[in-house]
Amino acid sequence: MNETFKALSDENRRKILDLLQNGDLTAGDIAKHFEMSKPGVSQHLSILKNAELVYAIKKGQYVYYSLNSTVFQDVLKWVIQFNSTTKGEDLC
């Protein structure tokens, strides 16, 4: 889960995840939304892949990136557990 939070800590990577909510995209499609080099976008995609937040699927000569919603569900479950353990407790 450390890799997940590290990947989510960067604004550019969060923007990539936002873009992928609308469907699969190639690295080139993603790069059009940023003012950075294509290798820079590829580095962000690599970090997202290593954190298993995105899948990379090769179709023909292109690699398409898509969200891995399973990891988001795991993170959400982890966060929700704190809500259930603090109910009724005064946090101040």
Side-chain angles (χ1 to χ4, degrees):
M1 194 170 296
N2 288 339
E3 290 297 317
T4 301
F5 286 112
K6 177 184 172 187
L8 292 172
S9 70
D10 183 85
E11 182 179 354
N12 290 314
R13 291 191 286 271
R14 291 191 306 269
K15 184 175 179 183
I16 291 171
L17 295 171
D18 287 339
L19 290 169
L20 292 173
Q21 286 185 72
N22 299 319
D24 299 353
L25 295 170
T26 65
D29 294 333
I30 293 167
K32 292 175 187 175
H33 296 272
F34 294 91
E35 292 184 17
M36 73 173 79
S37 67
K38 288 184 180 180
V41 171
S42 291
Q43 179 64 30
H44 285 298
L45 288 168
S46 177
I47 291 169
L48 290 169
K49 273 181 27 181
N50 288 339
E52 298 181 355
L53 290 166
V54 299
Y55 294 117
I57 301 165
K58 187 161 175 83
K59 296 180 185 175
Q61 63 180 346
Y62 296 102
V63 176
Y64 286 84
Y65 293 89
S66 60
L67 289 177
N68 178 4
S69 60
T70 304
V71 174
F72 290 102
Q73 291 169 358
D74 292 342
V75 170
L76 190 56
K77 285 179 192 175
W78 183 80
V79 170
I80 288 173
Q81 79 178 350
F82 292 103
N83 186 40
S84 64
T85 59
T86 59
K87 279 190 176 181
E89 294 179 17
D90 186 6
L91 297 178
C92 296

